[in-house]
Amino acid sequence: MENFKVKLDRPKISSEEIASRQNFDNVLSTFNQAKPPAYKNPWFWGSAGLATVGVTTILTLNAFTLKNETDDKKITLKTNALPEDTKCIKAPVAGEDIAFKTYEVNPLKDEKIVLESGTTIEIDKGTLQAEKPNEKVEIKVREFHDQASVFISGIPMDYQKDAFESAGMIEIKGEQDGEEVKINPEKPIDIELKTTQNPETFGFWFLNQDKKAWEEYPAETNNTAKAATPVSDKQVKQAEQKVQQAENKITAVEQQIARVETPKKEEYKIPGKNTQLFDLDFDKHDYPELSAFRNIVFEVVHPNGYDAEFAKNSKKNWSSVDLSKNQEKYTALFKNSTESYKVQVRPVVQGSDLKKAEKEFDQALASAQKTKTELENKKQELLAEKKASQQALNALIQQQIAAQDLQSRNRYNQLAEASEENYKKSSNADMAAVQDYSNSVSFQTTRWGVFNSDKPIAYPEPFKIGVALLWVGNQAAKFKQLFVFNKDKNTRFSYGEGFRNIDLLGLQKNDDLVLVGIDFEGNIGYCEIKKDDPVKSTEKITFTRKDKSTKTLDLLKSLMDGTTDTV
Amino acid sequence: MNVNPLYHHTPERLNEEKVWIQRAQKSPEHFGPLYKKYHEAIFRFVYQRMDDKETAYDVTAQIFVKAMHNIHRFEDRGVPFASWLYRIAKSEVYQCFRDRKADRYVNIETVQLVEFIDDFDHEENQNKINKVTRLIKELKEKEIQLIEMRFFEKRSFREIAEILDMTENNAKVKTFRVVEKLKKLFEQKN
């Protein structure tokens, strides 16, 4: 039975040839074309995937569970559902606001809303005192985890004389037919608000819109120090670039090392050891390169250092010896009446010229060795730098993956939690992970409004002399309102109309800042101030005018970097 | 016995690869470094078993597409990523034989064969080579896999065991049995 064909000594294929056939783009493209439906795709099972599946599972199990789940799948976002300005909350940028997401809930059932961030809102039956109890109530929610969105919403962030550093904020309303639905004082709504920071170091507040002031509000913090810090793709990309930069530097240094030439004795006209030398008269006018030397003799050039033929010929009588040069090579032609003999030679120095040449050679050699050593040391430093960058990159990626995994797992578990059946299925380890990695604030409310996990931060000292605010082009900028975003502290300081006077502007020196000004015509200007280059009194701050086609929210998010989603 | 450098990694390399795998599990675009690293090894594995170079390149690409589809299933439970890839490769190669009705080839270098049959007999090498080449064709697929991996691809028993999903000891015993079987056949033919 012949199962196979045997082939002996087939010609080998080189690694280079195989490498030349690598085409990952093609493989990726085939992969994408052959992609299974999204629900079968492993990459679907990321944060969105798990959440959605969790939601689906819960919906399926609704009939068997006590609580009825409301989730993102059931969100009905109203068109143009931008909030209207109130006395307290006024969106600062015309035409831009943060929309509410609307969830329909049944006031006669226990409902649980799970937001994208993992924040949960539990509304028991009987909580919502709707005019029409048999009809759905719309729960409208905006959740904030970044300064850009908070700014666009117009929610004031000053507390007494300070500004808030926010860890998370939620605004919630309940309406039926456009009318606010009352909450049963005996059955408050339970909210667990996810926060970006350890809430234990933050306070909790409710915005009293009638008084236009934040009031302290009772809440319980659920945090652990083990929270996985999210890592943005931008951070990973920057770390990758660092590794690449180090690699490029190493390549450059290696090229420099290769270019360092070790001087050769021949170049300095230093004779070799035990070589064959002879004196020769030549006209220095014909060889100006040799005219600077006084003691020139000629050395026979031979790969082994000793030319036996020359030794034999040197014993003969020659009537003349002519020196010639062709392409930097010297040739001595020995002649007599019967024969001639040609040998390649090179001029070498002797006596004082030799001492001088040796000294110069030693210096050149030392210099080349020094350069080479310095470059080798530099290469070693760069290799260490590359290794450190690579380790930092790996750590960052692992952190990113861990954070994403935990986020997915958290959300899945939270969704699963509602179903007793699923809850039982959840392993203890998974549930422990939820406890371990959730930063949140739990509170109950019997009123609608804005709730905020914040920490008051003092406004910076105003500039003593003041700074000039200019547009690009040195035209004076007259701002109605000016906002200073502190990127390091996730804080906004507000100046101008409705806030403290712009003349009291001050800037924190040790943080990265983004300034946004709105002039009286509604033009928006922005600029970035780095902690390495703080603005001093008497200096000017130059604002770039925002392109009208650019959304302020997008601009701010890009300036602030690494912001989280807003509900 | 040669050491397969792709298989025997330093802890540093393993960590690096772990990160690549984790990233690839998150997004297919990140599979690139793994593809780059294993492309040649997988191609050689495929080409070792068939005759047509272009088909081997096609099958190699298909193996990586399949690996990308399934990488979420890969769990670091002691089986190296390379072995996991080889398992996919093995399955794709046989799929190719079925689909394309291609012939299964065993490609051998004479030098390797000489090493392999060194203690077979005291016969002259060329004769032994001719005989063993004929005898190999009589082996079963499972038997030739062991001989091929151990003697012609120079893999360790541990790696063979992981690719063929058996214990290391089992791989050793089975390989020994195949060699003994070949010897026996060799003597019978004499």
Side-chain angles (χ1 to χ4, degrees):
Chain A
M1 182 183 68
E2 188 171 308
N3 291 316
F4 349 82
K5 293 183 174 168
V6 175
K7 199 159 190 176
L8 284 176
D9 298 325
R10 181 173 64 181
K12 282 183 182 175
I13 298 184
S14 70
S15 295
E16 288 73 26
E17 188 194 321
I18 300 169
S20 74
R21 297 291 297 264
Q22 280 194 3
N23 189 342
F24 181 64
D25 288 343
N26 199 21
V27 169
L28 188 60
S29 154
T30 311
F31 166 80
N32 285 329
Q33 283 163 17
K35 232 183 225 177
Y39 65 89
K40 282 188 179 176
N41 189 330
W43 280 283
F44 171 77
W45 303 91
S47 50
L50 278 175
T52 311
V53 165
V55 165
T56 313
T57 311
I58 288 158
L59 286 173
T60 314
L61 292 166
N62 263 349
F64 309 102
T65 56
L66 295 172
K67 291 190 177 184
N68 179 27
E69 293 299 318
T70 305
D71 56 73
D72 280 359
K73 285 284 175 198
K74 290 164 74 181
I75 293 169
T76 47
L77 258 182
K78 294 208 167 179
T79 50
N80 301 321
L82 293 180
E84 286 176 14
D85 284 350
T86 65
K87 279 183 188 175
C88 183
I89 303 174
K90 288 178 183 166
V93 181
E96 287 191 48
D97 207 336
I98 304 297
F100 281 98
K101 276 192 174 179
T102 305
Y103 301 77
E104 287 187 339
V105 297
N106 185 341
L108 300 177
K109 283 185 176 175
D110 289 341
E111 297 272 13
K112 183 174 179 179
I113 300 169
V114 183
L115 306 183
E116 279 180 10
S117 65
T119 290
T120 56
I121 301 163
E122 289 186 57
I123 306 168
D124 290 343
K125 62 179 176 185
T127 294
L128 300 172
Q129 297 178 323
E131 288 286 323
K132 299 171 188 169
N134 293 322
E135 291 183 15
K136 294 280 171 85
V137 171
E138 289 182 338
I139 304 296
K140 294 182 171 181
V141 185
R142 298 197 287 183
E143 194 181 11
F144 303 90
H145 288 293
D146 63 275
Q147 278 296 329
S149 308
V150 175
F151 169 71
I152 293 296
S153 76
I155 295 172
M157 291 297 279
D158 278 8
Y159 174 68
Q160 297 176 354
K161 289 180 180 175
D162 297 330
F164 270 146
E165 174 183 355
S166 182
M169 182 161 74
I170 189 168
E171 183 175 8
I172 180 167
K173 296 200 282 191
E175 292 174 359
Q176 194 178 58
D177 300 332
E179 294 294 317
E180 186 176 296
V181 171
K182 285 185 180 168
I183 302 171
N184 183 348
E186 303 297 318
K187 288 192 168 183
I189 294 172
D190 284 308
I191 298 177
E192 187 184 346
L193 173 68
K194 292 289 172 191
T195 58
T196 54
Q197 310 268 347
N198 176 355
E200 282 177 357
T201 59
F202 284 68
F204 198 71
W205 321 81
F206 171 73
L207 180 63
N208 184 327
Q209 297 202 38
D210 295 329
K211 292 181 183 172
K212 292 186 192 174
W214 290 96
E215 294 171 350
E216 283 193 63
Y217 197 87
E220 286 172 26
T221 55
N222 316 306
N223 96 291
T224 83
K226 294 176 192 171
T229 315
V231 176
S232 69
D233 286 343
K234 191 175 176 183
Q235 281 173 283
V236 174
K237 202 162 191 177
Q238 281 169 345
E240 280 173 342
Q241 280 169 350
K242 247 182 166 176
V243 175
Q244 189 57 50
Q245 281 164 1
E247 264 176 21
N248 294 346
K249 283 182 196 170
I250 291 165
T251 309
V253 169
E254 280 172 344
Q255 285 167 350
Q256 279 177 288
I257 292 170
R259 282 198 295 270
V260 175
E261 285 182 11
T262 308
K264 291 174 184 152
K265 285 192 173 180
E266 297 86 52
E267 292 161 5
Y268 290 80
K269 298 187 171 49
I270 297 169
K273 280 181 186 170
N274 306 321
T275 48
Q276 294 154 299
L277 300 175
F278 63 92
D279 201 358
L280 171 67
D281 278 337
F282 63 94
D283 188 344
K284 286 192 174 177
H285 291 104
D286 293 339
Y287 303 95
E289 75 275 12
L290 304 177
S291 61
F293 305 98
R294 280 186 294 175
N295 305 307
I296 286 277
V297 290
F298 288 85
E299 183 182 76
V300 175
V301 176
H302 192 272
N304 301 330
Y306 185 82
D307 187 344
E309 198 185 347
F310 175 79
K312 199 170 85 186
N313 282 311
S314 65
K315 288 172 187 162
K316 294 179 184 172
N317 286 326
W318 301 100
S319 53
S320 69
V321 187
D322 292 330
L323 184 68
S324 62
K325 186 181 171 189
N326 186 18
Q327 291 181 339
E328 301 302 315
K329 286 182 178 171
Y330 297 86
T331 305
L333 178 65
F334 295 78
K335 284 192 285 192
N336 61 24
S337 54
T338 56
E339 60 178 329
S340 67
Y341 164 65
K342 207 160 46 169
V343 66
Q344 198 188 329
V345 296
R346 71 180 184 93
V348 293
V349 288
Q350 287 195 318
S352 59
D353 282 340
L354 177 59
K355 280 183 184 168
K356 195 180 161 199
E358 281 175 338
K359 195 177 170 186
E360 284 173 1
F361 171 76
D362 289 344
Q363 282 172 345
L365 186 65
S367 168
Q369 281 169 344
K370 190 183 166 201
T371 309
K372 218 166 184 172
T373 309
E374 282 171 356
L375 288 169
E376 287 289 355
N377 290 342
K378 198 173 172 187
K379 186 183 164 185
Q380 290 308 317
E381 281 173 22
L382 288 168
L383 284 169
E385 186 183 315
K386 187 193 158 192
K387 194 177 175 187
S389 305
Q390 187 66 55
Q391 282 171 345
L393 171 65
N394 289 350
L396 214 54
I397 291 168
Q398 278 174 337
Q399 194 182 339
Q400 187 186 44
I401 290 163
Q404 286 168 356
D405 283 350
L406 286 164
Q407 196 187 356
S408 305
R409 201 160 37 167
N410 261 350
R411 287 167 57 188
Y412 177 78
N413 286 337
Q414 281 163 352
L415 291 162
E417 197 180 347
S419 150
E420 283 186 7
E421 198 175 331
N422 268 9
Y423 184 88
K424 281 172 198 163
K425 281 180 189 170
S426 299
S427 69
N428 289 337
D430 279 351
M431 296 315 290
V434 174
Q435 296 304 315
D436 273 350
Y437 295 102
S438 298
N439 268 332
S440 62
V441 182
S442 298
F443 63 98
Q444 291 187 319
T445 181
T446 54
R447 52 183 169 171
W448 308 110
V450 188
F451 300 86
N452 198 355
S453 172
D454 283 87
K455 181 158 65 180
I457 303 281
Y459 267 74
E461 282 294 309
F463 286 110
K464 280 177 188 162
I465 302 174
V467 290
L469 306 178
L470 303 171
W471 290 111
V472 170
N474 280 347
Q475 185 195 354
K478 289 177 183 168
F479 289 125
K480 187 171 76 171
Q481 290 175 317
L482 182 60
F483 303 94
V484 180
F485 295 87
N486 185 314
K487 289 165 75 171
D488 296 317
K489 294 195 172 68
N490 197 23
T491 308
R492 182 184 85 215
F493 300 100
S494 310
Y495 301 88
E497 196 177 282
F499 306 102
R500 61 177 55 198
N501 196 307
I502 288 185
D503 293 341
L504 297 174
L505 174 69
L507 301 174
Q508 283 155 319
K509 285 178 186 166
N510 300 318
D511 295 321
D512 288 331
L513 308 171
V514 172
L515 273 62
V516 172
I518 304 174
D519 73 6
F520 289 89
E521 280 79 46
N523 296 310
I524 291 173
Y526 63 93
C527 72
E528 283 185 278
I529 296 171
K530 304 275 180 200
K531 66 182 89 171
D532 311 330
D533 187 21
V535 173
K536 295 170 193 139
S537 282
T538 74
E539 282 191 353
K540 60 182 183 180
I541 302 176
T542 307
F543 288 80
T544 304
R545 215 177 279 263
K546 179 185 80 76
D547 191 301
K548 287 198 171 160
S549 62
T550 308
K551 276 195 162 187
T552 314
L553 179 64
D554 296 339
L555 171 73
L556 259 180
K557 279 192 170 183
S558 69
L559 289 169
M560 305 285 281
D561 194 21
T563 48
T564 53
D565 292 338
T566 302
V567 176
Chain B
M1 184 61 62
N2 288 349
V3 170
N4 180 353
L6 276 173
Y7 190 76
H8 298 269
H9 282 326
T10 60
E12 211 170 28
R13 275 282 176 86
L14 278 175
N15 267 341
E16 187 182 58
E17 184 171 288
K18 207 172 166 183
V19 171
W20 289 347
I21 294 164
Q22 286 173 328
R23 291 192 80 192
Q25 284 174 328
K26 303 303 282 185
S27 166
E29 283 79 14
H30 293 142
F31 201 94
L34 294 165
Y35 171 81
K36 203 173 166 187
K37 180 174 177 180
Y38 288 108
H39 178 263
E40 180 175 344
I42 294 298
F43 170 78
R44 289 198 186 281
F45 179 91
V46 175
Y47 191 42
Q48 161 68 26
R49 287 155 179 79
M50 53 179 67
D51 195 39
D52 185 58
K53 197 163 45 170
E54 289 309 311
T55 307
Y57 279 121
D58 283 354
V59 173
T60 305
Q62 194 50 41
I63 288 161
F64 282 102
V65 171
K66 199 155 191 179
M68 286 165 76
H69 274 302
N70 289 286
I71 192 165
H72 65 287
R73 291 184 185 158
F74 175 77
E75 286 179 47
D76 187 7
R77 285 181 178 164
V79 178
F81 182 71
S83 300
W84 182 76
L85 267 184
Y86 282 126
R87 283 187 197 177
I88 296 177
K90 185 165 78 81
S91 139
E92 282 301 299
V93 164
Y94 292 115
Q95 188 63 43
C96 168
F97 294 145
R98 284 191 294 273
D99 293 349
R100 305 190 192 193
K101 298 192 170 37
D103 288 323
R104 162 77 156 104
Y105 270 79
V106 179
N107 285 287
I108 309 170
E109 284 176 47
T110 314
V111 184
Q112 294 168 334
L113 200 58
V114 169
E115 274 176 36
F116 170 56
I117 57 180
D118 199 30
D119 63 341
F120 265 41
D121 203 340
H122 298 292
E123 214 173 312
E124 197 192 329
N125 263 349
Q126 193 53 54
N127 283 342
K128 278 202 282 189
I129 288 168
N130 294 342
K131 267 187 204 169
V132 172
T133 310
R134 281 197 300 275
L135 289 175
I136 279 176
K137 292 176 188 174
E138 293 182 25
L139 293 177
K140 290 175 188 162
E141 176 60 37
K142 281 184 179 175
E143 293 168 334
I144 193 63
Q145 275 177 10
L146 290 161
I147 297 296
E148 191 171 39
M149 285 191 205
R150 178 65 183 164
F151 296 100
F152 309 146
E153 292 180 333
K154 308 283 183 196
R155 295 182 195 278
S156 70
F157 281 117
R158 192 177 140 203
E159 192 181 4
I160 294 169
E162 279 163 355
I163 295 172
L164 298 178
D165 200 11
M166 58 176 71
T167 66
E168 190 175 340
N169 196 45
N170 205 5
K172 277 181 195 170
V173 171
K174 284 189 170 179
T175 309
F176 173 77
R177 281 186 191 147
V178 181
V179 176
E180 287 303 297
K181 178 180 172 179
L182 262 180
K183 274 187 187 175
K184 210 170 170 183
L185 284 170
F186 186 86
E187 282 157 16
Q188 281 171 3
K189 297 283 172 187
N190 269 348

